[in-house]
Amino acid sequence: MKNENIAVGLDIGTTKIVAMIGRKNEYGKLEILGVGKSKSLGVHRGVVNNITQTIQSIQTAIAEAEENSGYMIKDVVVGIAGQHIRSIQHSDYISRSNAEEVISEKDIEQLIGQVHKLAMLPGEEIIHVLPQEFKIDGQAEIKEPIGMYGGRLESSFHVVVGHAASIRNVGRCIQSAGIELSGLTLEPLASSDAVLSQEEKEAGVALIDIGGGTTDLAIFKDGIIRHTAVIPFGGNVITDDIKEGCSIIEKQAELLKVKFGSAWPGENKDNEIVSIPGLRGREPKEISLKNLSKIINARVVEIIEQVYDEIKSYGCDDPKKKLIAGIVLTGGGSQLKHIKQLVEYITGMDTRIGYPNEHLAGNSDEELSSPLYATAVGLMMNSINNNTKSAILMSEMESVTTDVKKEEPKQEPIAEAPKPVEVKKESTEQIKRSFFDKYVERIKEFLDNAE
């Protein structure tokens, strides 16, 4: 029990902050031990714009998750999103001094390290460097070059870039909330881990995660991530349109959207009307559901068209780049009635709603298999892959403190627990992770020096 791998994912969204504690059961499924949720204050379109409020929201979610699970959280894997995220395609190569030597992970590290030195716009930093396919001496479409021979090793890369200040602000909030940062992951990548199958990633699929403040896109083909984008519109913009269009307060607009909203105006009859209580003694307002659907439809069409432009810019019309598995919708916005049909109508691609339930243990709470929690589940899976022990039982914590009082050096194993295991796994996946770990270390160092 003492060495169990407890994982914690923290999804800092525009509308909600979710802390999720879990572990893998004996069948390899995720067993959720506790969930904490709080209203997200201080985050706008995926970017922290009020540190104090964000810290309070994180602390509320963490405290609730700890109370529900009986575990004390030490560190978390956090999702990065927001309108500052952009991605670029880049190709690079290295010439090896001895072509008769086997290509090792050192060569891959050197190649990825070279990409990390790319000149960026002022204030921007590289977050992820994701190798696509390798070429050795002109031989293309090599997925795993380690163990092969060759003089010139080249690869195309998908490079994800973000504002350094925005990322550090997230790190500062977590540190100030009294927990450590064990990893950073791009939110569309986390969501894709939770809701996409390997078959879909091989066949070609576009994941659209419609959140409160942003809509994230991740495109996979041949099992490799090919394109990512963050569109700075989400469910909150739809709520704002309802608020303005119907002259009601935000709380009522959100309720209307969730309970009666539809992305397809044709299904409502003209005589379907809902009555909204008036403010402070004023007359109740009567709102036509047909008009409500028209307002929602106009904004959803705009969001989907922007996402579709991104899918087309990837080149899905090319037979080699065709997305056979179509589109998977997830996130809170995917729960809007008839959105699946509207997406199919606009894009002409097969669409389904993505639920994270296939990774969850059978006894999990039904609410947790909602698309709302896809990112949090994906972040927790990422934490499990890092082999972190991100939380310890409260009862274990008490015994540790009594041990410390008796003999102080016994505190050491607890401090070492969050370190990733399996360092010597020779694969490009591991090398990508090690580079990302170094990036997380740089952020931690920056935060420590800023103290």
Side-chain angles (χ1 to χ4, degrees), residues 47-63:
V47 178
V48 173
N49 64 0
N50 186 322
I51 287 210
T52 313
Q53 286 185 326
T54 307
I55 292 166
Q56 286 169 355
S57 298
I58 290 171
Q59 284 172 332
T60 307
I62 293 284

Side-chain angles (χ1 to χ4, degrees), residues 168-381:
R168 284 172 186 156
N169 281 340
V170 171
R172 163 74 64 217
C173 291
I174 286 154
Q175 201 180 51
S176 303
I179 44 178
E180 287 297 314
L181 180 68
S182 68
L184 280 165
T185 300
L186 191 64
E187 289 202 351
L189 295 183
S191 305
S192 64
D193 285 341
V195 303
L196 297 181
S197 68
Q198 193 53 40
E199 287 84 359
E200 284 176 318
K201 289 180 182 179
E202 288 288 342
V205 66
L207 176 83
I208 303 173
D209 184 344
I210 307 169
T214 59
T215 298
D216 304 333
L217 170 72
I219 296 175
F220 291 84
K221 179 75 178 170
D222 301 325
I224 299 164
I225 180 125
R226 302 292 184 180
H227 187 74
T228 52
V230 177
I231 285 105
F233 299 112
N236 283 4
V237 193
I238 301 168
T239 307
D240 285 345
D241 285 0
I242 297 168
K243 186 178 86 175
E244 298 299 324
C246 301
S247 304
I248 53 177
I249 60 170
E250 194 172 332
K251 198 176 173 184
Q252 292 172 333
E254 182 64 29
L255 272 170
L256 263 184
K257 179 181 80 175
V258 173
K259 280 197 159 188
F260 303 102
S262 165
W264 200 267
E267 68 129 14
N268 292 114
K269 297 182 181 74
D270 291 326
N271 59 355
E272 284 181 299
I273 283 166
V274 64
S275 184
I276 299 280
L279 288 175
R280 214 39 203 237
R282 292 172 179 82
E283 288 291 306
K285 264 201 171 73
E286 290 194 337
I287 290 157
S288 152
L289 290 189
K290 198 173 190 75
N291 284 346
L292 177 69
S293 295
K294 279 179 181 170
I295 293 167
I296 293 170
N297 173 266
R299 182 59 84 174
V300 174
V301 165
E302 186 189 348
I303 293 169
I304 299 305
E305 279 178 347
Q306 281 201 42
V307 177
Y308 192 40
D309 283 344
E310 285 287 344
I311 295 172
K312 283 192 282 194
S313 75
Y314 152 73
C316 63
D317 296 334
D318 181 342
K320 281 187 179 175
K321 292 183 173 182
K322 194 177 179 195
L323 304 177
I324 295 163
I327 290 171
V328 175
L329 294 172
T330 194
S334 68
Q335 294 179 298
L336 192 61
K337 215 194 290 179
H338 301 305
I339 192 162
K340 173 185 173 292
Q341 288 86 336
L342 182 66
V343 172
E344 283 181 337
Y345 176 74
I346 293 169
T347 63
M349 294 163 82
D350 285 342
T351 305
R352 75 170 178 90
I353 307 294
Y355 299 92
N357 53 355
E358 70 171 87
H359 297 286
L360 301 178
N363 59 352
S364 299
D365 188 338
E366 203 178 315
E367 191 198 350
L368 300 176
S369 61
S370 156
L372 268 170
Y373 295 101
T375 306
V377 169
L379 292 168
M380 198 174 68
M381 287 167 72

